[in-house]
Amino acid sequence: MNLDKNISVLFAKDQNLISQLSELFFDFDSQLKIVSDIDSLKNLFKSESSSVKMVIAAIDSDYQITGKPTIQFLLNETGIPVIFLAKTIDDELKNLVNNSSHTAIIDQNADKSVLFSLLKLLGKKVQPETIQASNQTNSKQNGLSKPHQVRFRRLIEGLSQNICAFSHTPEGVFQYLSPNFKSVFGFDPDEFIGKNWRDLSLTEDSIKLGNEADKKVIAEGSHQTVTLLQNRPNGEQHFIEIVYGPVYENNELIAMEGACVNVTNRIKSDNELKESYRFLETLMQNLSGMVYRCENIVDWPFSFVSAGCKDLTGYEADSLLSGNPSFGQIIHPQDCEYVWKTIQSAVEKHENYELNYRIVTRDNQIKWVWERGQGIFASDGKLTFLEGFITDITRLKIAESTLRDSEQKYREIFSSTSEAIFIHHPETGKIFDINEPTLRMYGYDNKEEFLRAAESGMGALSANFPPYTDQEAQEQLNAARVGKPRKFEWLARKKDGEIFEAEVSITRSVFDGKERLLAVVSDISERKKFLENAQRTDKLESIGLLAGGIAHDFNNLLGGIYGYIELAIMKSTSSETTKYLDAAIKTMNRAKSLTQQLLTFSKGGAPDRRIDNLQDFIKETVAFALSGANISCSFSISEDLWACNFDRSQIAQVVDNIVINAVQAMPTGGNIEITAKNKSYSENEHASLSAGRYVLISVKDQGMGIGKNLMKRIFDPFFSTKSMGHGLGLTTCHSIVGQHGGVIEVDSAPGQGSTFTIILPAANLEEKPAEIKQIKAHQGSGLILIMDDEIVVRETVKTMLETFGYKVVGKENGEETLDFFKQQINQKQGFAALIFDLTIPGGMGGLETIAEIRKLDNDVPVLVMSGYSENPVMNAPERHGFNGSIRKPFSMSELSTALDRLLKKRTS
């Protein structure tokens, strides 16, 4: 949408020069106006200042007397690009122009063809800039004859650093380049003499465009204007505009010469301007009302109106622009005088106007409209037109009428409701009344104290960080002010600084006989917590089912691997092989702990605590977590570190998670500091811990740190700052440490790394770490019956038992087990023991099978095994018919111990 015309001004007295330059302006995209004296020039600017885009000023040789006022006027008062044509260019003229923001000084005697190129190029510039005068010529102009060298010296006189002149052969080989070549193209001019213009790192499309232009210059003998795109070595892209034409000697084309300017900023500005126009057009088309520009006379004739006029008035834009009807004829007759006086009063004071009135639409409906606008004034203070926006507020007016009729009812609701209600001024947004529940919700003692706090804006009653600042609150109020009721969630702030979640509804209404904005605030903190907890519970239950299944299947697989590795150790005669197998067992122990971790998170499994020292445990756990990472680690662990009563696998999981988080916080490497020390807390010294002795294990990284807004959420389930994170790691850590009677503390700030400190209760002084006793391998004889659906488990356990001296039979499910058991009884064959898997998918499991076994034999010892370590049967096997339990995966030593206990119970 361009409402202005483009005017170029030629200021000259010499008629011959005026004639020559007028001819050059035929190709310009603007209207040319010619003036010959300074008074006419000033009058032209006074009447057409917004339309004048460029001035060409011819300065007489005696400019010091007659031309100086003109120069000063153009330099100091116009603020647009000016090209000075001078018969004589001396230092005084250069200094005058160089101290300004105007464009160029050009020798009037320059070659007409070259002058045309430069004028056309400069005339298209949008932003004026200082032009530095120069008498330099390039040292490598051997290819040009002396007359052409003279032309170029005249041409480059006064060019800016963004403009250069050039000459190249018809084949494109540069013969001359002005000193400003480097500022335009980025290359030193001396290096490019003798090179082809196609070597200027131009894009393929630009080279094609330049080739086509060269062909036209050769074939037609005409000037060409092209804009080429150059890819600089540093990755930047620059747009270069070139105006050039042919040079003949003796009717033979000897060169092509012209001028270049870097127009990158101009093109970017043009693109941004086009995008702004497009955005403005889209905005106006989608407004629920109409944007207008009109004259300030009674009928309000439009010079512009947006497409929204049809929905508002029923008339097309063309009808309103043609005055059929005028907007003055649409205004309700009873409101015409009010509209006129209101607008005139505002215009006289140079103020915006805002008013409500009625219009009569094309189909004779009466609508209430809200209008806001302002007068647009020229530089001399004269009013040129009005601009504004009009929208339909009929529904709002009806609502106001309804509210007015039931105002007493609303007053009663205002006083009796449990919700907080703010009453705002519709124009300023200022709160001037609240109800009693507002004080209780926000924690203020009285209304006066609350209103004082609100005087600085809604930011004092809000979280006051984006998007909950005073600015966003005012935007919501402004939207409601123009008839758009608002309902949204908000973070509000109490007097003591506590933040709570609220739901806010804002409507425009009538209260006490006046238009007001009513904001109703509900505290939804408890409702949000309930919903979040319900969602979290659903997710945790689903994960619990998944975790249990994974743990069971994984434990079955680990059981087979465990057994075979231990058997391999027993059979191994190589110390080197035994060392590797021992390492594999340690890794298996970590894998075993992973299944327990899944159950710990999903079922809240209680820790299996044992009193132990932490020194070696911490180092081994950290070393395992750092395997393969490009991170160094330093330890500072007290030699007298107290022993703790803890679950090794669970605390290993905590250290694992925290160390891995530290590694991920330092993607380019770094150092982790591990410290462990003793600490005694007195009563009330620590907010979350009772008095006593504790061990503090700290993990400090050099990573990016954690901001305050994230710190309070890092232990929330499913919260993660990692794109692939599941948000369970720190939640599980928090749960495990809490079940041990301890806490996790975090000290962090953006850019300063993070320190996680695990605080665990120390064991009592009289409690000592259990000594590791060498357990004699179990030995026995007789038949043991195994039931497990996994063949690898059956085979592994069978081999273990055979090592102990037993004969072993394996069955896949309860049906097969019962059949074999009955056969043995009928044949008067007994069993040393039975070992049943608790869960058999698709068949009788251990619980169903033991019930049938006990009907046949109440004395045979039966051991139950399962990967579901938290199953009630595993924790109390005797209540369900079993004599003992063993958890998968288990080692030979664990199986040996379980059999010792099982058979000892029988003999006793």
Side-chain angles (χ1 to χ4, degrees), residues 165-223:
F166 69 89
S167 175
H168 63 64
T169 67
E171 294 75 25
V173 176
F174 285 117
Q175 298 174 306
Y176 172 80
L177 293 171
S178 71
N180 296 336
F181 179 77
K182 184 169 185 178
S183 64
V184 175
F185 283 98
F187 294 106
D188 191 285
D190 290 339
E191 295 178 1
F192 247 83
I193 295 297
K195 291 186 179 180
N196 199 290
W197 64 263
R198 297 168 183 85
D199 298 327
L200 286 169
S201 300
L202 303 172
T203 64
E204 291 184 8
D205 290 341
S206 292
I207 291 175
K208 291 179 182 178
L209 187 63
N211 288 336
E212 292 299 321
D214 279 4
K215 290 178 182 178
K216 289 185 178 180
V217 172
I218 294 170
E220 302 173 7
S222 59
H223 275 74

Side-chain angles (χ1 to χ4, degrees), residues 416-662:
S416 61
T417 182
S418 61
E419 311 297 334
I421 300 179
F422 301 170
I423 302 181
H424 297 262
H425 190 283
E427 306 304 328
T428 65
K430 182 180 179 181
I431 302 173
F432 59 84
D433 200 4
I434 58 172
N435 63 352
E436 190 65 28
T438 302
L439 300 176
R440 294 193 294 271
M441 185 177 294
Y442 284 81
Y444 285 85
D445 297 328
N446 53 66
K447 185 183 296 187
E448 291 71 22
E449 181 186 28
F450 181 91
L451 294 177
R452 280 196 303 272
E455 283 181 357
S456 61
M458 292 301 296
L461 306 175
S462 305
N464 209 24
F465 54 77
Y468 308 106
T469 65
D470 181 62
Q471 180 179 349
E472 280 90 9
Q474 291 300 325
E475 289 173 359
Q476 298 286 1
L477 288 169
N478 291 339
R481 178 186 303 149
V482 295
K484 299 177 182 177
R486 312 294 293 171
K487 188 173 184 178
F488 53 92
E489 291 187 1
W490 193 256
L491 289 184
R493 182 188 299 274
K494 295 184 179 182
K495 177 184 175 182
D496 62 4
E498 179 186 346
I499 302 297
F500 66 95
E501 294 181 274
E503 184 176 77
V504 183
S505 299
I506 307 177
T507 57
R508 187 164 180 146
S509 187
V510 175
F511 210 82
D512 289 340
K514 298 178 181 178
E515 288 190 359
R516 301 294 185 214
L517 292 176
L518 266 64
V520 180
V521 181
S522 304
D523 186 342
I524 60 172
S525 301
E526 292 302 319
R527 186 177 80 190
K528 296 282 281 189
K529 288 179 182 177
F530 175 80
L531 292 174
E532 290 171 0
N533 288 335
Q535 292 172 353
R536 186 178 299 129
T537 299
D538 288 343
K539 291 178 181 179
L540 290 176
E541 288 177 355
S542 299
I543 292 174
L545 293 174
L546 175 63
I550 291 174
H552 176 264
D553 294 343
F554 197 38
N555 279 341
N556 277 338
L557 296 174
L558 288 177
I561 302 172
Y562 238 122
Y564 284 132
I565 292 178
E566 286 200 313
L567 290 169
I569 291 173
M570 292 176 59
K571 300 292 184 180
S572 174
T573 59
S574 167
S575 60
E576 190 73 14
T577 301
T578 301
K579 181 179 74 172
Y580 291 137
L581 291 172
D582 284 337
I585 285 291
K586 289 182 180 178
T587 304
M588 291 290 295
N589 286 333
R590 299 304 302 277
K592 177 182 176 181
S593 72
L594 287 177
T595 60
Q596 183 60 34
Q597 290 170 22
L598 288 172
L599 294 170
T600 297
F601 172 74
S602 63
K603 297 177 179 294
D608 181 13
R609 300 190 198 183
R610 289 178 176 81
I611 297 174
D612 203 350
N613 292 314
L614 288 163
Q615 288 95 328
D616 293 338
F617 168 79
I618 293 171
K619 291 180 179 179
E620 291 174 3
T621 305
V622 171
F624 189 86
L626 290 177
S627 298
N630 63 331
I631 299 294
S632 61
C633 184
S634 59
F635 292 92
S636 177
I637 299 177
S638 300
E639 293 182 2
D640 61 343
L641 197 66
W642 292 326
C644 291
N645 190 9
F646 66 101
D647 184 317
R648 288 180 68 91
S649 65
Q650 288 191 0
I651 297 302
Q653 179 187 2
V654 174
V655 176
D656 258 351
N657 268 312
I658 293 175
V659 171
I660 290 171
N661 281 349

Side-chain angles (χ1 to χ4, degrees), residues 330-346:
I330 297 175
I331 299 174
H332 194 285
Q334 295 178 7
D335 294 344
C336 286
E337 183 178 358
Y338 157 72
V339 173
W340 175 260
K341 288 182 177 180
T342 302
I343 293 177
Q344 300 314 305
S345 174

